[in-house]
Amino acid sequence: MKKFAALSLVLSLGSVAFAQTTITIATVNNPDMVTMQKLTPEFEKAYPDIKVKWVVLPENELRQKITLDIASGAGTFDIATVGAYEVPIWAKNGWLEPLGPLFTKFPDIKSSYDLDDMLAPVRKGLSYNNLIHALPFYAESSMTFYRKDLFAKAGLKMPVKPTWTQIERFAKALHKPAQGQYGICLRGLPGWGENMAVFGTVINTFGGRWFDMNWNATVNTPAWKNAMTFYTNLIKKYGPPGVTGNGFTENLTLFAQGKCGMWIDATVAAGFVTDPAQSKVVNTVGFANSPTGPGTPKGSNWLWIWSLAIPKSTQHENEAFKFITWATSKDYIELVAQEKGNWGAVPPGTRKSTYANPEYQKAAGAFANIVLDSIQRADPTNATKDKVPYTGVQFVAIPEFQALGTQVGQYLAGVLSGQMTVDQALKQSQAAADKVSTEGNYKK
Protein backbone atom coordinates (compact mmCIF):
# COMPACT_ATOMS: atom_id res chain seq x y z
CA MET A 1 0.00 0.00 0.00
CA LYS A 2 2.85 2.32 0.95
CA LYS A 3 4.54 1.42 -2.35
CA PHE A 4 1.35 2.33 -4.27
CA ALA A 5 1.02 5.59 -2.35
CA ALA A 6 4.63 6.49 -3.16
CA LEU A 7 4.06 5.72 -6.85
CA SER A 8 0.92 7.90 -6.82
CA LEU A 9 2.90 10.73 -5.28
CA VAL A 10 5.60 10.44 -7.96
CA LEU A 11 2.99 10.43 -10.72
CA SER A 12 1.25 13.38 -9.09
CA LEU A 13 4.47 15.36 -8.82
CA GLY A 14 5.25 14.42 -12.42
CA SER A 15 1.93 15.78 -13.65
CA VAL A 16 2.50 19.00 -11.71
CA ALA A 17 6.00 19.34 -13.15
CA PHE A 18 4.69 19.19 -16.71
CA ALA A 19 1.49 21.17 -16.17
CA GLN A 20 1.36 24.27 -18.36
CA THR A 21 -0.35 27.58 -17.77
CA THR A 22 -1.59 29.24 -20.95
CA ILE A 23 -1.42 33.03 -21.10
CA THR A 24 -3.33 35.00 -23.75
CA ILE A 25 -1.71 38.09 -25.23
CA ALA A 26 -3.53 40.73 -27.26
CA THR A 27 -1.30 42.62 -29.64
CA VAL A 28 -1.24 44.72 -32.77
CA ASN A 29 -0.12 43.45 -36.18
CA ASN A 30 2.97 45.67 -36.45
CA PRO A 31 6.20 44.11 -37.77
CA ASP A 32 7.99 44.22 -34.39
CA MET A 33 5.11 42.35 -32.79
CA VAL A 34 5.19 39.78 -35.60
CA THR A 35 8.84 39.17 -34.74
CA MET A 36 7.89 38.77 -31.07
CA GLN A 37 5.36 36.09 -32.03
CA LYS A 38 7.96 34.24 -34.12
CA LEU A 39 10.38 34.20 -31.18
CA THR A 40 7.77 32.90 -28.71
CA PRO A 41 9.25 29.35 -28.80
CA GLU A 42 12.41 30.81 -27.23
CA PHE A 43 10.33 32.06 -24.28
CA GLU A 44 8.51 28.74 -23.97
CA LYS A 45 11.88 26.99 -23.98
CA ALA A 46 13.05 29.18 -21.09
CA TYR A 47 9.72 28.76 -19.26
CA PRO A 48 8.41 25.28 -20.24
CA ASP A 49 5.53 25.58 -17.77
CA ILE A 50 4.04 28.53 -19.70
CA LYS A 51 2.27 28.34 -23.06
CA VAL A 52 1.55 31.50 -25.06
CA LYS A 53 -1.63 32.13 -27.06
CA TRP A 54 -1.72 35.18 -29.35
CA VAL A 55 -4.67 37.34 -30.38
CA VAL A 56 -3.44 39.64 -33.17
CA LEU A 57 -5.65 42.48 -34.40
CA PRO A 58 -5.45 45.67 -36.48
CA GLU A 59 -4.68 48.69 -34.29
CA ASN A 60 -8.16 50.24 -34.20
CA GLU A 61 -9.85 46.89 -33.50
CA LEU A 62 -7.27 46.00 -30.85
CA ARG A 63 -8.03 49.17 -28.91
CA GLN A 64 -11.77 48.53 -28.94
CA LYS A 65 -11.49 44.90 -27.82
CA ILE A 66 -8.97 45.28 -25.02
CA THR A 67 -10.61 48.45 -23.68
CA LEU A 68 -13.96 46.64 -23.44
CA ASP A 69 -12.36 43.54 -21.94
CA ILE A 70 -10.27 45.31 -19.33
CA ALA A 71 -12.92 47.86 -18.36
CA SER A 72 -15.45 45.09 -17.80
CA GLY A 73 -12.97 42.85 -15.94
CA ALA A 74 -13.75 39.99 -18.32
CA GLY A 75 -10.24 38.61 -18.00
CA THR A 76 -9.87 37.40 -21.59
CA PHE A 77 -6.32 38.73 -21.86
CA ASP A 78 -3.41 38.13 -19.46
CA ILE A 79 -1.25 40.69 -21.29
CA ALA A 80 -2.43 43.66 -23.32
CA THR A 81 -0.42 45.68 -25.82
CA VAL A 82 -1.17 49.28 -24.88
CA GLY A 83 0.23 52.70 -25.67
CA ALA A 84 1.41 55.77 -23.83
CA TYR A 85 -2.14 57.15 -24.01
CA GLU A 86 -3.81 54.25 -22.23
CA VAL A 87 -1.31 53.43 -19.48
CA PRO A 88 -1.75 56.44 -17.12
CA ILE A 89 -5.53 56.54 -17.67
CA TRP A 90 -5.99 52.81 -17.10
CA ALA A 91 -3.61 52.83 -14.14
CA LYS A 92 -5.65 55.65 -12.57
CA ASN A 93 -8.79 53.52 -13.08
CA GLY A 94 -7.12 50.60 -11.30
CA TRP A 95 -7.25 48.41 -14.41
CA LEU A 96 -3.52 47.55 -14.56
CA GLU A 97 -1.22 45.66 -12.19
CA PRO A 98 1.50 47.95 -10.77
CA LEU A 99 4.77 46.24 -11.60
CA GLY A 100 6.83 47.25 -8.54
CA PRO A 101 5.47 44.45 -6.32
CA LEU A 102 6.14 41.87 -9.05
CA PHE A 103 9.75 43.03 -9.45
CA THR A 104 10.10 42.66 -5.66
CA LYS A 105 8.54 39.19 -5.82
CA PHE A 106 11.05 38.06 -8.46
CA PRO A 107 14.45 39.54 -7.40
CA ASP A 108 16.42 37.59 -10.02
CA ILE A 109 14.31 39.12 -12.80
CA LYS A 110 14.61 42.56 -11.21
CA SER A 111 18.40 42.29 -11.17
CA SER A 112 18.76 41.16 -14.77
CA TYR A 113 16.05 43.46 -16.15
CA ASP A 114 17.81 46.69 -15.05
CA LEU A 115 15.00 49.25 -14.88
CA ASP A 116 17.56 52.07 -14.67
CA ASP A 117 18.58 51.25 -18.25
CA MET A 118 15.18 52.47 -19.51
CA LEU A 119 15.15 55.91 -21.20
CA ALA A 120 13.72 58.48 -18.77
CA PRO A 121 10.87 59.84 -21.00
CA VAL A 122 9.77 56.28 -21.70
CA ARG A 123 9.68 55.25 -18.03
CA LYS A 124 7.84 58.47 -17.17
CA GLY A 125 5.31 57.84 -19.93
CA LEU A 126 4.45 54.40 -18.54
CA SER A 127 4.12 55.50 -14.93
CA TYR A 128 1.24 56.76 -12.84
CA ASN A 129 1.97 58.40 -9.48
CA ASN A 130 5.63 57.53 -10.17
CA LEU A 131 4.80 53.79 -10.24
CA ILE A 132 5.52 51.93 -13.47
CA HIS A 133 2.49 50.05 -14.84
CA ALA A 134 3.78 48.69 -18.18
CA LEU A 135 7.08 47.77 -19.82
CA PRO A 136 8.13 49.27 -23.17
CA PHE A 137 8.35 46.97 -26.18
CA TYR A 138 9.46 49.82 -28.38
CA ALA A 139 9.22 53.60 -28.26
CA GLU A 140 9.08 56.02 -31.11
CA SER A 141 8.81 59.60 -32.18
CA SER A 142 8.09 60.80 -35.71
CA MET A 143 10.53 61.85 -38.42
CA THR A 144 10.98 62.33 -42.16
CA PHE A 145 12.04 59.50 -44.45
CA TYR A 146 13.11 60.42 -47.97
CA ARG A 147 14.71 58.95 -51.07
CA LYS A 148 18.23 60.35 -51.47
CA ASP A 149 18.47 59.11 -55.06
CA LEU A 150 15.27 60.89 -56.12
CA PHE A 151 16.34 64.07 -54.35
CA ALA A 152 19.73 64.03 -56.10
CA LYS A 153 18.09 63.40 -59.48
CA ALA A 154 15.72 66.35 -58.92
CA GLY A 155 18.49 68.62 -57.62
CA LEU A 156 16.92 68.85 -54.16
CA LYS A 157 18.53 68.84 -50.72
CA MET A 158 16.69 67.77 -47.58
CA PRO A 159 17.53 69.94 -44.54
CA VAL A 160 18.16 68.19 -41.22
CA LYS A 161 15.20 70.14 -39.82
CA PRO A 162 12.74 70.72 -42.70
CA THR A 163 9.62 72.87 -42.59
CA TRP A 164 6.23 71.76 -43.91
CA THR A 165 6.55 74.46 -46.60
CA GLN A 166 9.78 72.84 -47.83
CA ILE A 167 8.17 69.40 -47.68
CA GLU A 168 5.34 70.62 -49.92
CA ARG A 169 7.85 72.00 -52.45
CA PHE A 170 9.79 68.73 -52.48
CA ALA A 171 6.59 66.67 -52.85
CA LYS A 172 5.56 68.69 -55.90
CA ALA A 173 8.96 68.13 -57.55
CA LEU A 174 9.00 64.39 -56.84
CA HIS A 175 5.40 63.57 -57.75
CA LYS A 176 5.36 61.43 -60.90
CA PRO A 177 2.27 59.21 -60.64
CA ALA A 178 2.56 58.00 -64.24
CA GLN A 179 5.81 56.33 -63.14
CA GLY A 180 4.28 54.91 -59.95
CA GLN A 181 6.17 57.49 -57.88
CA TYR A 182 4.26 59.69 -55.44
CA GLY A 183 5.64 62.87 -53.89
CA ILE A 184 4.67 62.03 -50.33
CA CYS A 185 2.93 59.32 -48.33
CA LEU A 186 0.97 60.30 -45.22
CA ARG A 187 -1.68 58.62 -43.14
CA GLY A 188 -5.30 59.03 -44.26
CA LEU A 189 -6.82 55.99 -42.56
CA PRO A 190 -9.31 57.28 -39.94
CA GLY A 191 -8.43 56.67 -36.30
CA TRP A 192 -6.99 58.65 -33.42
CA GLY A 193 -3.88 56.46 -33.62
CA GLU A 194 -3.79 56.55 -37.42
CA ASN A 195 -4.37 59.75 -39.44
CA MET A 196 -4.80 61.81 -36.26
CA ALA A 197 -1.34 60.81 -34.98
CA VAL A 198 0.41 62.60 -37.83
CA PHE A 199 -2.21 65.31 -38.21
CA GLY A 200 -2.04 65.95 -34.44
CA THR A 201 1.57 67.09 -34.79
CA VAL A 202 0.58 69.31 -37.76
CA ILE A 203 -2.11 70.96 -35.60
CA ASN A 204 0.47 71.67 -32.88
CA THR A 205 3.12 73.12 -35.14
CA PHE A 206 0.58 75.25 -37.02
CA GLY A 207 -0.25 76.82 -33.63
CA GLY A 208 -3.46 74.93 -32.83
CA ARG A 209 -4.75 73.16 -29.73
CA TRP A 210 -7.82 71.09 -28.80
CA PHE A 211 -8.96 73.11 -25.75
CA ASP A 212 -8.06 76.38 -24.04
CA MET A 213 -7.27 76.59 -20.33
CA ASN A 214 -10.97 76.70 -19.50
CA TRP A 215 -11.63 73.58 -21.59
CA ASN A 216 -13.45 75.51 -24.30
CA ALA A 217 -13.09 73.62 -27.59
CA THR A 218 -10.73 75.47 -29.96
CA VAL A 219 -11.05 73.30 -33.07
CA ASN A 220 -12.94 75.67 -35.38
CA THR A 221 -10.12 78.24 -35.37
CA PRO A 222 -7.78 79.67 -38.03
CA ALA A 223 -4.85 77.53 -36.84
CA TRP A 224 -6.86 74.32 -37.27
CA LYS A 225 -8.24 75.49 -40.62
CA ASN A 226 -4.76 76.26 -41.92
CA ALA A 227 -3.47 72.91 -40.68
CA MET A 228 -6.33 70.83 -42.13
CA THR A 229 -6.32 72.71 -45.44
CA PHE A 230 -2.55 72.22 -45.77
CA TYR A 231 -2.57 68.53 -44.80
CA THR A 232 -5.45 67.50 -47.04
CA ASN A 233 -4.25 69.53 -50.05
CA LEU A 234 -0.74 68.07 -49.70
CA ILE A 235 -2.04 64.51 -49.76
CA LYS A 236 -4.64 65.05 -52.48
CA LYS A 237 -2.13 66.77 -54.77
CA TYR A 238 1.00 64.67 -54.20
CA GLY A 239 -0.04 61.45 -52.45
CA PRO A 240 -0.99 57.99 -53.76
CA PRO A 241 -4.60 57.11 -54.60
CA GLY A 242 -6.88 55.52 -52.00
CA VAL A 243 -5.16 57.39 -49.17
CA THR A 244 -8.06 56.96 -46.71
CA GLY A 245 -7.08 53.28 -46.58
CA ASN A 246 -3.46 54.02 -45.76
CA GLY A 247 -2.24 53.87 -42.17
CA PHE A 248 1.24 53.13 -40.83
CA THR A 249 1.46 49.59 -42.20
CA GLU A 250 0.20 50.48 -45.69
CA ASN A 251 2.55 53.46 -46.02
CA LEU A 252 5.48 51.38 -44.77
CA THR A 253 4.81 48.94 -47.59
CA LEU A 254 4.52 51.74 -50.17
CA PHE A 255 7.77 53.38 -49.06
CA ALA A 256 9.66 50.08 -48.83
CA GLN A 257 8.55 49.27 -52.39
CA GLY A 258 9.94 52.57 -53.66
CA LYS A 259 6.59 54.27 -54.30
CA CYS A 260 7.07 57.35 -52.09
CA GLY A 261 9.51 60.23 -52.47
CA MET A 262 8.97 61.12 -48.80
CA TRP A 263 7.14 59.72 -45.82
CA ILE A 264 6.59 61.37 -42.42
CA ASP A 265 5.79 58.75 -39.83
CA ALA A 266 7.01 56.70 -36.88
CA THR A 267 10.75 56.47 -36.23
CA VAL A 268 10.38 52.75 -35.61
CA ALA A 269 10.08 52.31 -39.38
CA ALA A 270 13.77 53.14 -39.82
CA GLY A 271 14.72 49.59 -38.90
CA PHE A 272 12.36 48.15 -41.50
CA VAL A 273 13.18 50.36 -44.46
CA THR A 274 16.89 49.63 -43.96
CA ASP A 275 16.35 45.88 -43.64
CA PRO A 276 17.18 44.13 -46.96
CA ALA A 277 14.67 41.42 -46.13
CA GLN A 278 11.82 43.94 -46.01
CA SER A 279 12.81 46.90 -48.20
CA LYS A 280 13.80 47.61 -51.80
CA VAL A 281 15.19 51.05 -50.94
CA VAL A 282 17.76 50.11 -48.30
CA ASN A 283 20.67 52.01 -49.81
CA THR A 284 18.75 55.10 -50.87
CA VAL A 285 16.89 56.09 -47.68
CA GLY A 286 17.67 59.38 -45.98
CA PHE A 287 16.45 60.59 -42.59
CA ALA A 288 15.55 64.03 -41.23
CA ASN A 289 13.59 65.48 -38.34
CA SER A 290 9.82 65.78 -38.42
CA PRO A 291 8.78 69.02 -40.20
CA THR A 292 7.86 72.16 -38.31
CA GLY A 293 5.07 74.55 -39.24
CA PRO A 294 4.52 78.31 -39.06
CA GLY A 295 3.11 78.35 -35.51
CA THR A 296 5.72 76.79 -33.25
CA PRO A 297 8.37 74.04 -33.34
CA LYS A 298 6.78 72.53 -30.22
CA GLY A 299 4.75 69.38 -30.69
CA SER A 300 6.03 68.77 -34.22
CA ASN A 301 7.14 65.24 -33.35
CA TRP A 302 5.25 62.81 -31.17
CA LEU A 303 6.14 60.40 -28.38
CA TRP A 304 4.56 56.98 -28.50
CA ILE A 305 5.37 53.84 -26.57
CA TRP A 306 3.99 50.42 -27.45
CA SER A 307 4.15 48.54 -24.19
CA LEU A 308 3.04 45.34 -22.51
CA ALA A 309 0.78 45.62 -19.47
CA ILE A 310 -0.90 43.13 -17.15
CA PRO A 311 -4.65 43.69 -16.61
CA LYS A 312 -5.89 43.43 -13.01
CA SER A 313 -8.42 40.88 -14.25
CA THR A 314 -5.77 38.26 -15.10
CA GLN A 315 -5.51 35.06 -13.08
CA HIS A 316 -1.91 34.55 -14.21
CA GLU A 317 -0.01 37.67 -13.19
CA ASN A 318 3.20 35.76 -12.33
CA GLU A 319 3.36 34.06 -15.73
CA ALA A 320 2.41 37.29 -17.49
CA PHE A 321 5.16 39.17 -15.63
CA LYS A 322 7.73 36.59 -16.76
CA PHE A 323 6.68 37.13 -20.38
CA ILE A 324 6.67 40.94 -20.39
CA THR A 325 10.09 41.10 -18.69
CA TRP A 326 11.44 38.58 -21.23
CA ALA A 327 10.02 40.40 -24.27
CA THR A 328 11.35 43.82 -23.19
CA SER A 329 14.75 42.72 -21.87
CA LYS A 330 18.28 43.38 -23.10
CA ASP A 331 18.53 39.67 -23.92
CA TYR A 332 15.43 39.85 -26.13
CA ILE A 333 16.86 42.79 -28.08
CA GLU A 334 20.05 40.80 -28.64
CA LEU A 335 17.97 37.77 -29.67
CA VAL A 336 16.21 39.84 -32.35
CA ALA A 337 19.56 41.06 -33.65
CA GLN A 338 20.78 37.46 -33.91
CA GLU A 339 17.55 36.26 -35.51
CA LYS A 340 17.52 39.00 -38.14
CA GLY A 341 21.29 39.26 -38.52
CA ASN A 342 20.87 43.02 -38.25
CA TRP A 343 21.20 45.18 -35.14
CA GLY A 344 19.41 47.98 -36.98
CA ALA A 345 16.19 45.94 -36.89
CA VAL A 346 15.93 45.57 -33.10
CA PRO A 347 13.05 47.17 -31.13
CA PRO A 348 14.27 50.76 -30.62
CA GLY A 349 13.71 53.68 -28.30
CA THR A 350 13.57 51.95 -24.93
CA ARG A 351 17.04 51.32 -23.48
CA LYS A 352 20.21 53.37 -23.04
CA SER A 353 22.25 50.22 -23.63
CA THR A 354 20.85 49.85 -27.16
CA TYR A 355 22.15 53.28 -28.21
CA ALA A 356 25.51 52.66 -26.45
CA ASN A 357 25.97 49.32 -28.22
CA PRO A 358 28.71 49.60 -30.91
CA GLU A 359 26.89 47.04 -33.05
CA TYR A 360 23.70 49.13 -32.98
CA GLN A 361 25.61 52.34 -33.66
CA LYS A 362 27.25 50.65 -36.66
CA ALA A 363 23.97 49.30 -38.06
CA ALA A 364 21.69 52.26 -37.20
CA GLY A 365 24.16 55.14 -37.41
CA ALA A 366 22.19 56.86 -40.18
CA PHE A 367 19.14 57.36 -37.97
CA ALA A 368 19.93 56.45 -34.34
CA ASN A 369 20.78 59.97 -33.18
CA ILE A 370 17.72 61.54 -34.85
CA VAL A 371 15.50 58.92 -33.21
CA LEU A 372 17.04 59.32 -29.76
CA ASP A 373 16.98 63.14 -29.95
CA SER A 374 13.36 63.12 -31.17
CA ILE A 375 12.21 60.87 -28.32
CA GLN A 376 14.02 62.98 -25.74
CA ARG A 377 12.76 66.26 -27.27
CA ALA A 378 9.08 65.27 -27.38
CA ASP A 379 7.39 66.73 -24.31
CA PRO A 380 3.76 65.72 -23.68
CA THR A 381 3.53 68.45 -21.01
CA ASN A 382 4.54 71.29 -23.37
CA ALA A 383 3.52 70.48 -26.94
CA THR A 384 1.50 73.52 -28.05
CA LYS A 385 2.06 77.21 -28.77
CA ASP A 386 -0.53 78.30 -26.21
CA LYS A 387 -1.08 76.72 -22.81
CA VAL A 388 -3.47 73.80 -22.50
CA PRO A 389 -5.11 72.03 -19.54
CA TYR A 390 -4.14 68.54 -20.77
CA THR A 391 -1.03 66.46 -21.53
CA GLY A 392 -0.15 64.61 -24.72
CA VAL A 393 1.53 65.53 -28.01
CA GLN A 394 -0.68 63.82 -30.60
CA PHE A 395 -3.54 63.09 -28.21
CA VAL A 396 -5.40 64.58 -25.26
CA ALA A 397 -4.85 62.36 -22.24
CA ILE A 398 -8.50 62.01 -21.19
CA PRO A 399 -10.58 58.81 -21.56
CA GLU A 400 -12.98 60.46 -24.00
CA PHE A 401 -10.25 61.27 -26.52
CA GLN A 402 -10.20 57.77 -27.99
CA ALA A 403 -13.70 58.33 -29.39
CA LEU A 404 -13.24 62.05 -30.07
CA GLY A 405 -9.95 61.59 -31.92
CA THR A 406 -11.39 58.81 -34.06
CA GLN A 407 -14.50 60.90 -34.84
CA VAL A 408 -12.39 63.86 -35.96
CA GLY A 409 -10.18 61.43 -37.91
CA GLN A 410 -13.29 60.35 -39.82
CA TYR A 411 -14.08 63.97 -40.67
CA LEU A 412 -10.48 64.43 -41.83
CA ALA A 413 -10.86 61.35 -44.04
CA GLY A 414 -14.12 62.84 -45.33
CA VAL A 415 -12.20 65.87 -46.58
CA LEU A 416 -9.56 63.65 -48.17
CA SER A 417 -12.20 61.63 -50.00
CA GLY A 418 -14.05 64.75 -51.15
CA GLN A 419 -17.18 64.03 -49.14
CA MET A 420 -16.78 67.08 -46.88
CA THR A 421 -15.21 70.51 -47.03
CA VAL A 422 -12.67 71.66 -44.47
CA ASP A 423 -15.23 74.08 -43.02
CA GLN A 424 -17.81 71.31 -42.65
CA ALA A 425 -15.26 69.01 -41.01
CA LEU A 426 -14.13 71.67 -38.56
CA LYS A 427 -17.69 72.65 -37.63
CA GLN A 428 -18.59 69.05 -36.77
CA SER A 429 -15.25 68.47 -35.03
CA GLN A 430 -15.82 71.58 -32.90
CA ALA A 431 -19.25 70.29 -31.89
CA ALA A 432 -17.80 66.89 -30.95
CA ALA A 433 -15.00 68.44 -28.87
CA ASP A 434 -17.44 70.80 -27.16
CA LYS A 435 -19.70 67.87 -26.29
CA VAL A 436 -16.78 66.02 -24.69
CA SER A 437 -15.84 69.07 -22.66
CA THR A 438 -19.40 69.69 -21.48
CA GLU A 439 -20.57 66.14 -20.82
CA GLY A 440 -17.24 65.19 -19.25
CA ASN A 441 -17.57 68.13 -16.83
CA TYR A 442 -14.21 69.50 -17.90
CA LYS A 443 -15.47 72.95 -18.92
CA LYS A 444 -15.01 75.63 -16.29
Side-chain angles (χ1 to χ4, degrees):
M1 187 66 184
K2 286 182 180 177
K3 188 176 180 180
F4 177 76
L7 178 60
S8 298
L9 177 61
V10 169
L11 290 173
S12 175
L13 289 173
S15 65
V16 169
F18 289 97
Q20 282 188 321
T21 297
T22 298
I23 57 174
T24 302
I25 305 173
T27 196
V28 68
N29 58 347
N30 285 355
D32 271 320
M33 280 65 168
V34 173
T35 299
M36 178 167 56
Q37 294 160 52
K38 289 180 178 175
L39 293 175
T40 298
E42 296 297 323
F43 170 77
E44 293 173 336
K45 194 185 301 179
Y47 295 97
D49 56 335
I50 304 174
K51 186 74 176 174
V52 176
K53 177 184 175 184
W54 290 97
V55 176
V56 183
L57 299 166
E59 187 170 332
N60 287 345
E61 189 177 348
L62 174 83
R63 286 202 166 94
Q64 293 172 359
K65 281 190 180 294
I66 63 174
T67 301
L68 180 63
D69 186 82
I70 292 176
S72 66
T76 305
F77 306 118
D78 301 296
I79 296 173
T81 304
V82 293
Y85 164 74
E86 289 94 352
V87 172
I89 296 173
W90 291 8
K92 183 179 180 181
N93 289 345
W95 296 351
L96 301 179
E97 288 280 357
L99 300 180
L102 286 165
F103 274 111
T104 301
K105 188 175 183 178
F106 296 98
D108 290 347
I109 292 178
K110 181 178 182 179
S111 176
S112 62
Y113 190 80
D114 189 7
L115 272 169
D116 290 338
D117 187 45
M118 196 180 297
L119 292 175
V122 173
R123 184 167 180 170
K124 183 179 178 182
L126 299 180
S127 297
Y128 173 69
N129 281 345
N130 295 319
L131 299 175
I132 193 162
H133 281 74
L135 296 180
F137 188 66
Y138 69 78
E140 64 183 29
S141 186
S142 52
M143 69 179 184
T144 303
F145 304 82
Y146 68 99
R147 290 278 302 281
K148 293 187 293 187
D149 55 332
L150 300 182
F151 267 64
K153 189 176 179 181
L156 304 174
K157 184 177 181 180
M158 175 67 79
V160 176
K161 297 180 178 179
T163 65
W164 276 109
T165 300
Q166 290 171 317
I167 292 293
E168 182 180 34
R169 180 165 61 84
F170 298 153
K172 182 179 181 180
L174 298 173
H175 192 57
K176 302 182 187 304
Q179 301 173 23
Q181 175 186 312
Y182 305 100
I184 189 165
C185 292
L186 292 169
R187 298 188 194 185
L189 183 68
W192 77 265
E194 287 287 0
N195 57 1
M196 291 304 294
V198 182
F199 183 57
T201 65
V202 179
I203 296 166
N204 295 335
T205 198
F206 271 65
R209 55 181 174 170
W210 285 85
F211 301 97
D212 67 18
M213 289 300 289
N214 292 317
W215 283 97
N216 295 305
T218 54
V219 175
N220 200 3
T221 56
W224 267 76
K225 183 170 183 176
N226 291 338
M228 188 175 282
T229 300
F230 176 85
Y231 189 78
T232 52
N233 282 344
L234 182 64
I235 296 176
K236 286 194 287 189
K237 287 181 178 177
Y238 310 123
V243 70
T244 55
N246 292 349
F248 169 78
T249 304
E250 293 78 12
N251 282 325
L252 171 60
T253 300
L254 285 169
F255 190 86
Q257 290 178 344
K259 302 290 186 183
C260 313
M262 294 177 293
W263 177 36
I264 290 107
D265 214 297
T267 54
V268 69
F272 307 130
V273 298
T274 54
D275 182 355
Q278 304 181 63
S279 172
K280 295 180 179 178
V281 295
V282 171
N283 297 319
T284 60
V285 185
F287 306 91
N289 285 274
S290 190
T292 56
T296 175
K298 293 193 291 185
S300 59
N301 58 285
W302 71 63
L303 175 64
W304 184 252
I305 310 160
W306 274 123
S307 63
L308 301 175
I310 304 173
K312 277 276 191 179
S313 52
T314 181
Q315 299 298 312
H316 309 300
E317 66 270 18
N318 291 342
E319 291 81 4
F321 180 70
K322 290 173 182 175
F323 184 87
I324 68 172
T325 47
W326 172 82
T328 62
S329 65
K330 297 176 190 174
D331 288 344
Y332 176 83
I333 291 172
E334 188 168 343
L335 179 63
V336 173
Q338 292 173 356
E339 176 71 15
K340 291 181 174 293
N342 177 13
W343 264 93
V346 303
T350 60
R351 290 182 169 274
K352 301 171 190 172
S353 55
T354 299
Y355 291 90
N357 187 310
E359 294 293 329
Y360 185 74
Q361 291 174 354
K362 182 180 177 182
F367 56 82
N369 287 339
I370 293 177
V371 174
L372 185 58
D373 289 347
S374 297
I375 289 173
Q376 292 180 324
R377 187 173 63 248
D379 185 354
T381 66
N382 185 22
T384 54
K385 178 184 175 184
D386 299 313
K387 289 185 178 180
V388 294
Y390 55 84
T391 61
V393 177
Q394 76 279 29
F395 55 78
V396 178
I398 57 174
E400 296 87 347
F401 183 76
Q402 191 171 166
L404 173 62
T406 295
Q407 189 173 1
V408 175
Q410 288 167 344
Y411 298 143
L412 178 65
V415 178
L416 288 169
S417 64
Q419 296 177 335
M420 302 180 78
T421 66
V422 169
D423 287 336
Q424 290 170 333
L426 290 178
K427 184 178 179 181
Q428 295 198 38
S429 299
Q430 172 78 13
D434 188 60
K435 185 178 180 183
V436 164
S437 177
T438 302
E439 294 186 354
N441 294 319
Y442 294 103
K443 188 176 286 187
K444 296 179 181 177

